[in-house]
Amino acid sequence: RGAKQICPFKFIRIKMPEWFIYAALSAVFAALTAIFAKLGVKEIDSDFATFIRTIVVILMLVLLLSVAKKWQPLSSLSPKNWLFLILSGMATGLSWLMYFKAMQAGKVYQVALVDKFSVVLAIILAVIFLGERLNLKEILAICLIVSGVFLLIFK
């Protein structure tokens, strides 16, 4: 259900859930973000670099929404939508500011690894606030991620 053929050759049948394809692409773009950010923050203020990055993101979204004809009236958002989108935007902005500061000071592999620790934090918060449940395999995976972070950061 929701699976798409990901191999361009019809005789090879590899199907992946749609969410996985987007998540994998997100990981690829996040990896490129780390490399581009490290190169982009050289010899400039990291907060200013974040500002430039934000403008580029806004322009890309305006283009995407326009081409795909996905604009919606602002009145279609509920007060709850507004609240959580504003909070999410504030968290994103703070995350980006801290990310660029870290990128200036640290190595890409260190910063990217600690930044991806957000996966563990997101899972813990989802369990606490959204009532999501984890099975033993998922708990083990989280423990492995935490172990990996500690192994690479604390040599």
Side-chain angles (χ1 to χ4, degrees):
R1 193 169 209 236
K4 292 192 176 204
Q5 178 80 19
I6 63 166
C7 185
F9 305 107
K10 299 293 181 196
F11 59 89
I12 300 175
R13 297 187 185 242
I14 301 173
K15 290 192 175 190
M16 292 285 175
E18 187 174 12
W19 67 263
F20 180 82
I21 295 167
Y22 288 122
L25 288 170
S26 174
V28 169
F29 291 125
L32 290 172
T33 297
I35 301 303
F36 296 152
K38 183 67 176 179
L39 296 170
V41 296
K42 283 187 179 177
E43 301 174 15
I44 65 168
D45 180 75
S46 63
D47 295 340
F48 185 70
T50 304
F51 171 72
I52 298 299
R53 176 187 183 186
T54 303
I55 290 172
V56 172
V57 169
I58 290 169
L59 293 173
M60 283 184 56
L61 286 170
V62 166
L63 179 64
L64 176 101
L65 288 169
S66 298
V67 169
K69 296 183 168 107
K70 290 187 172 186
W71 287 101
Q72 292 180 235
L74 295 178
S75 59
S76 68
L77 279 74
S78 71
K80 187 176 179 180
N81 292 138
W82 278 108
L83 172 66
F84 288 112
L85 290 174
I86 289 169
L87 289 173
S88 176
M90 291 169 65
T92 298
L94 289 169
S95 172
W96 287 2
L97 288 167
M98 299 305 112
Y99 182 80
F100 270 48
K101 282 261 191 244
M103 230 7 124
Q104 271 190 326
K107 294 180 179 177
V108 171
Y109 84 88
Q110 293 169 320
V111 174
L113 183 63
V114 173
D115 179 64
K116 295 311 169 210
F117 192 69
S118 64
V119 170
V120 174
L121 297 175
I123 293 168
I124 292 168
L125 293 173
V127 168
I128 294 169
F129 294 110
L130 303 177
E132 293 185 8
R133 299 199 182 274
L134 302 175
N135 62 36
L136 187 59
K137 183 172 81 171
E138 293 161 340
I139 292 169
L140 178 61
I142 293 166
C143 291
L144 289 171
I145 293 170
V146 171
S147 300
V149 169
F150 283 116
L151 282 173
L152 284 173
I153 298 304
F154 303 111
K155 294 180 179 183

